[in-house]
Amino acid sequence: MQKVLKRVLAVAVAVSVLSGCASEVDSIQMAPLPKVDNTFTPKTDWSRSVGDGVNGYYSKLTPAVGLDKVFVADRAGLIEALNPATGKVEWETDLEGDNSAKLSGGLVLGDGKVFVGTENAKVIALDAETGKEVWRTTVAGEVLAKPLVADGLVVVNTSSGVLEALDVETGASKWQVSNEVPTLTLRGDSSPVAVSGGVFWGLANGRLAGALMSDGRLLWQQSIAAPKGSTEIDRLVDVDASPVIAGDRLFAVGYNGTLVSIDLRSGQIAWKRNYSSATNFIVDGSELFLVTAKDHVVAVDARSGTELWQNTDLQYRQLSAPAMIDGYVVVGDAEGYLHWLDTQNGEFVSQEEIDSSGIAVPPVALDDNGFIVVTRDGEINKMQIPQ
């Protein structure tokens, strides 16, 4: 199960392949590569590699950017700090020489440290300037999602349904919130987010929860996906996409569920729309961009939930979460292409092949208008759009 990509499972579930409908296997076909007349071609400033990347495993190790460094990692435990201008290695730390680290949740920068979680139920903190390990703590389950660093705490959402807060300086456990996990779930968890003393995260039972950051006391829970159907596969309702906070609203989306806008003060739903997704999404101003379970890229008015456009030409290409780069919506796919979409109409403006191993995490913007792209086999590319 480790080597089954979450997107592949989501696709299979969507057509009930796992429930015995073998006749529908042929209907799951990756859309052909769209033909795009590029209006620009991103150029590569430098490239290097970090270990063996994540290969076919679920691990989605997104680069962290800050303190004049780019932090990257591979699943086996190699973490590097790179100079963003040159790609030069500033420091390198090998967390496990026997290739058993199984890094999966991160990377996150905060309080002068770099944090990462593992499939072995560890959370590890490194000094961001030296790479020296500061602490290592065992938590309640696998850490598949990015930790949250806020208010002197590192908060992790584990696969066992336990949200746990650790002291940012020592790694000591400060509080836990437990929730029941259904028998069958998608592989992945929602990264928690925080605002105004509250922490918010998605649950595997189709609900969104909010708690006090100080002690973990529950504020509210809100259902955004209700189980339907007669089989466990049909009734999957994970909320694996990380919530997004914009102003006084919290946005969330569930698999086999809905996209919702929630009033942060009351926990009440302002609007909801029928979209299914287990992939992180972005909010940019008054627009929300998401990738559905069928790999349709959708733009929604964040104020009303009205659909603005939908691009279906990348169906089942196992897309990464979207990113906003230089005013464009950008997604990567399983064949290693980056696709650039116009935010106004969803039309393609550029397409670039990066690496045939595939792209599982979205590109990350840098301060100099460049961006970092990481491929599944660990290739790191610093790129930018010609000005």
Side-chain angles (χ1 to χ4, degrees):
M1 198 64 178
Q2 292 293 332
K3 290 194 175 184
V4 177
L5 300 182
K6 179 179 177 183
R7 174 66 63 207
V8 174
L9 177 58
V11 169
V13 168
V15 295
S16 301
V17 170
L18 297 183
S19 63
C21 297
S23 62
E24 297 195 52
V25 172
D26 291 340
S27 68
I28 308 176
Q29 295 183 353
M30 179 183 290
L33 184 70
K35 294 182 179 180
V36 177
D37 293 326
N38 285 3
T39 60
F40 60 82
T41 299
K43 69 183 185 73
T44 301
D45 290 342
W46 54 258
S47 295
R48 61 166 290 106
S49 61
V50 53
D52 295 322
V54 300
N55 293 312
Y57 291 90
Y58 173 76
S59 304
K60 293 190 174 181
L61 296 170
T62 304
V65 175
L67 302 178
D68 296 320
K69 295 180 180 64
V70 176
F71 302 91
V72 294
D74 79 345
R75 182 175 181 270
L78 181 63
I79 300 181
E80 294 179 341
L82 309 178
N83 183 305
T86 66
K88 178 183 176 183
V89 178
E90 302 287 344
W91 57 253
E92 179 179 283
T93 297
D94 191 351
L95 294 175
E96 296 283 356
D98 59 357
N99 290 341
S100 63
K102 297 182 180 179
L103 304 187
S104 53
L107 299 163
V108 176
L109 181 65
D111 281 48
K113 302 176 185 65
V114 180
F115 301 92
V116 66
T118 80
E119 295 174 22
N120 297 325
K122 306 289 185 184
V123 177
I124 302 167
L126 304 180
D127 185 286
E129 290 299 327
T130 66
K132 180 180 178 181
E133 185 171 319
V134 179
W135 52 257
R136 180 182 300 219
T137 296
T138 300
V139 291
E142 292 179 294
V143 182
L144 302 177
K146 277 187 181 182
L148 163 71
V149 182
D151 297 345
L153 298 173
V154 181
V155 185
V156 292
N157 187 16
T158 70
S159 60
S160 64
V162 176
L163 187 80
E164 185 166 1
L166 311 175
D167 185 278
V168 74
E169 298 297 334
T170 66
S173 182
K174 307 299 288 185
W175 51 258
Q176 293 183 346
V177 178
S178 298
N179 287 277
E180 185 176 350
V181 177
T183 304
L184 184 64
T185 67
L186 295 177
R187 183 159 181 76
D189 294 298
S190 164
S191 292
V193 295
V195 66
S196 302
V199 58
F200 306 90
W201 72 105
L203 307 176
N205 61 8
R207 302 180 72 84
L208 189 73
L212 288 176
M213 179 68 83
S214 58
D215 56 16
R217 279 184 294 168
L218 197 65
L219 295 172
W220 48 257
Q221 286 194 16
Q222 181 64 258
S223 176
I224 65 172
K228 306 180 187 71
S230 58
T231 71
E232 287 185 294
I233 296 293
D234 295 331
R235 295 170 66 81
L236 283 170
V237 289
D238 298 48
V239 182
D240 283 354
S242 299
V244 174
I245 294 171
D248 61 354
R249 294 289 180 87
L250 184 148
F251 300 91
V253 66
Y255 184 78
N256 281 339
T258 54
L259 172 69
V260 299
S261 172
I262 295 176
D263 186 289
L264 275 171
R265 291 163 294 188
S266 65
Q268 298 301 305
I269 292 177
W271 56 254
K272 65 169 64 176
R273 299 293 182 267
N274 290 326
Y275 293 106
S276 172
S277 179
T279 303
N280 288 349
F281 59 95
I282 54 175
V283 177
D284 185 65
S286 62
E287 296 175 318
L288 183 153
F289 303 95
L290 76 153
V291 172
T292 72
K294 292 184 177 181
D295 288 320
H296 298 172
V297 185
V298 180
V300 174
D301 189 309
R303 297 163 297 187
S304 64
T306 302
E307 183 174 301
L308 303 175
W309 53 257
Q310 183 166 170
N311 185 316
T312 63
D313 292 338
L314 300 172
Q315 181 164 295
Y316 297 144
R317 291 189 64 85
Q318 300 174 37
L319 300 184
S320 73
M324 185 65 65
I325 304 290
D326 287 349
Y328 299 99
V329 177
V330 186
V331 293
D333 72 20
E335 292 188 328
Y337 287 86
L338 279 183
H339 304 275
W340 302 72
L341 282 68
D342 190 308
T343 59
Q344 298 303 306
N345 53 31
E347 295 181 359
F348 295 107
V349 294
S350 184
Q351 182 185 92
E352 179 82 1
E353 183 177 13
I354 307 299
D355 182 274
S356 61
S357 68
I359 300 171
V361 298
V364 177
L366 300 174
D367 292 338
D368 65 355
N369 295 323
F371 56 96
I372 297 292
V373 182
V374 179
T375 67
R376 280 196 163 275
D377 63 4
E379 182 180 335
I380 315 294
N381 296 278
K382 159 67 183 306
M383 307 180 73
Q384 61 179 297
I385 298 176
Q387 302 299 314

